[in-house]
């Protein structure tokens, strides 16, 4: 990684905050912290961290509400959120609440396990092209600002389509199987039907061709997809 990833830790208990800070910094992250929900929402907006580790139990605004607010705002909704909660039953409960969190970990967590999840999220949030613009033909993808243009015209993509294009544009010409794309874009630990890949490729294709131009995505029969 060119730049260190930034992680926002939202936790009101100082000892818990310390443990997280220590381990994240040891892992090469820049850590910023908040001990309440209002600060968390503000910091997410101002600092644009790569990842937020968010405790459910916070004074005043709960972690669930913080997560909802972050996922509601266009400027922060693409930031990955890992929610922490005190018991696994709570994890089951908040999973059902559609908070928009990307992952859930119950306390007491094992530090190596949490760090593994953090790394997995950061790998997805920050492709190896941090700070760089990648292009393919007249398509330009800026991994930092999450902007895509084609022939100078902005192309609006959903987060999944953006990750798909990031993956494909990093290796033009490479043929990806649906399973490989699932691993790269959705993650190994998520159960998604391979047909979902087709749906999102279809959306990506439509967005990329919205202003005309040739379809850059190639369907390789029986195998998968490639760019170019
Ligand atoms: Ca707490």
């Amino acid at each position: 990684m060119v730049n260190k990833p930034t992680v926002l830790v939202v936790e009101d208990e100082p000892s818990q905050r310390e443990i997280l800070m220590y381990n994240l910094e040891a892992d090469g992250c820049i850590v910023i912290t908040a001990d309440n929900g209002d600060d968390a929402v503000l910091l997410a907006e101002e600092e644009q961290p790569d990842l937020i580790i968010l405790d459910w139990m916070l004074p005043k605004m709960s972690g669930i509400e913080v997560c909802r607010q972050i996922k509601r705002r266009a400027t922060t909704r693409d930031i990955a959120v890992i929610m922490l909660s005190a018991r696994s039953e709570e994890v089951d409960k908040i999973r059902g609440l559609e908070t928009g969190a990307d992952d859930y970990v119950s306390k007491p967590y094992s530090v190596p396990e949490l760090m593994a999840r953090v790394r997995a999220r950061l790998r997805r949030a920050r492709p190896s092209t941090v700070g760089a613009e990648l292009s393919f033909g007249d398509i330009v993808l800026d991994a930092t600002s999450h902007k895509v243009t084609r022939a100078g015209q902005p192309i609006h993509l959903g987060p999944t389509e953006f990750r798909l294009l990031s993956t494909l544009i990093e290796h033009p010409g490479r043929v990806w199987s649906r399973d490989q794309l699932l691993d790269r874009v959705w993650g190994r630990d998520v159960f998604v039907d391979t047909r979902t890949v087709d749906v999102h490729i279809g959306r990506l294709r439509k967005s990329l061709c919205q202003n005309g131009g040739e379809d850059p995505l190639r369907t390789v029969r029986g195998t998968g997809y490639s760019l170019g």
Side-chain angles (χ1 to χ4, degrees):
M1 281 182 192
V2 180
N3 309 305
K4 286 182 169 190
T6 303
V7 179
L8 169 60
V9 171
V10 189
E11 166 66 89
D12 57 316
E13 289 150 69
S15 61
Q16 292 285 326
R17 219 163 45 225
E18 286 296 312
I19 292 169
L20 288 169
M21 260 186 97
Y22 174 84
N23 285 287
L24 289 163
E25 284 176 351
D27 225 45
C29 300
I30 294 167
V31 182
I32 48 177
T33 60
D35 62 6
N36 66 80
D38 291 314
D39 287 354
V41 174
L42 266 176
L43 277 171
E45 181 103 45
E46 282 170 7
E47 303 290 333
Q48 293 284 310
D50 299 287
L51 174 72
I52 300 171
I53 299 179
L54 176 60
D55 189 35
W56 180 18
M57 295 302 285
L58 294 170
K60 290 185 273 183
M61 198 197 299
S62 78
I64 290 172
E65 184 52 30
V66 173
C67 192
R68 286 203 180 118
Q69 291 201 16
I70 284 168
K71 292 294 181 182
R72 211 158 36 214
R73 292 178 187 213
T75 48
T76 52
R77 71 162 63 112
D78 290 337
I79 302 171
V81 176
I82 298 179
M83 287 260 301
L84 303 178
S85 78
R87 295 188 307 272
S88 53
E89 306 91 82
E90 289 175 356
V91 165
D92 292 338
K93 191 175 155 197
I94 55 178
R95 249 183 227 282
L97 288 175
E98 310 232 325
T99 57
D102 300 271
D103 203 354
Y104 303 87
V105 173
S106 56
K107 288 179 174 179
Y109 50 81
S110 99
V111 170
E113 194 210 325
L114 177 64
M115 293 308 297
R117 299 222 197 171
V118 165
R119 277 181 224 119
R121 283 291 147 197
L122 287 174
R123 270 199 300 276
R124 253 172 276 167
R126 294 168 60 104
S128 52
T129 52
V130 172
E133 278 194 341
L134 282 176
S135 61
F136 179 79
D138 56 0
I139 300 165
V140 179
L141 177 143
D142 186 320
T144 311
S145 65
H146 273 221
K147 290 203 172 87
V148 175
T149 58
R150 181 163 196 192
Q153 297 291 312
I155 303 278
H156 298 287
L157 297 178
T160 304
E161 283 69 47
F162 183 84
R163 286 200 297 272
L164 259 178
L165 181 61
S166 305
T167 301
L168 294 166
I169 208 167
E170 272 187 76
H171 307 277
R174 171 174 167 179
V175 179
W176 296 80
S177 71
R178 289 171 178 80
D179 281 318
Q180 285 171 333
L181 288 172
L182 275 179
D183 282 350
R184 266 300 266 272
V185 175
W186 281 264
R188 275 170 198 278
D189 48 343
V190 181
F191 178 75
V192 187
D193 194 291
T194 48
R195 275 171 301 187
T196 307
V197 176
D198 303 340
V199 171
H200 287 275
I201 285 278
R203 285 188 199 155
L204 177 60
R205 186 170 260 152
K206 201 172 157 202
S207 298
L208 290 175
C209 299
Q210 68 191 15
N211 302 320
E214 222 177 283
D215 181 1
L217 293 166
R218 196 159 59 92
T219 305
V220 184
R221 192 169 297 203
T223 311
Y225 297 100
S226 79
L227 187 64

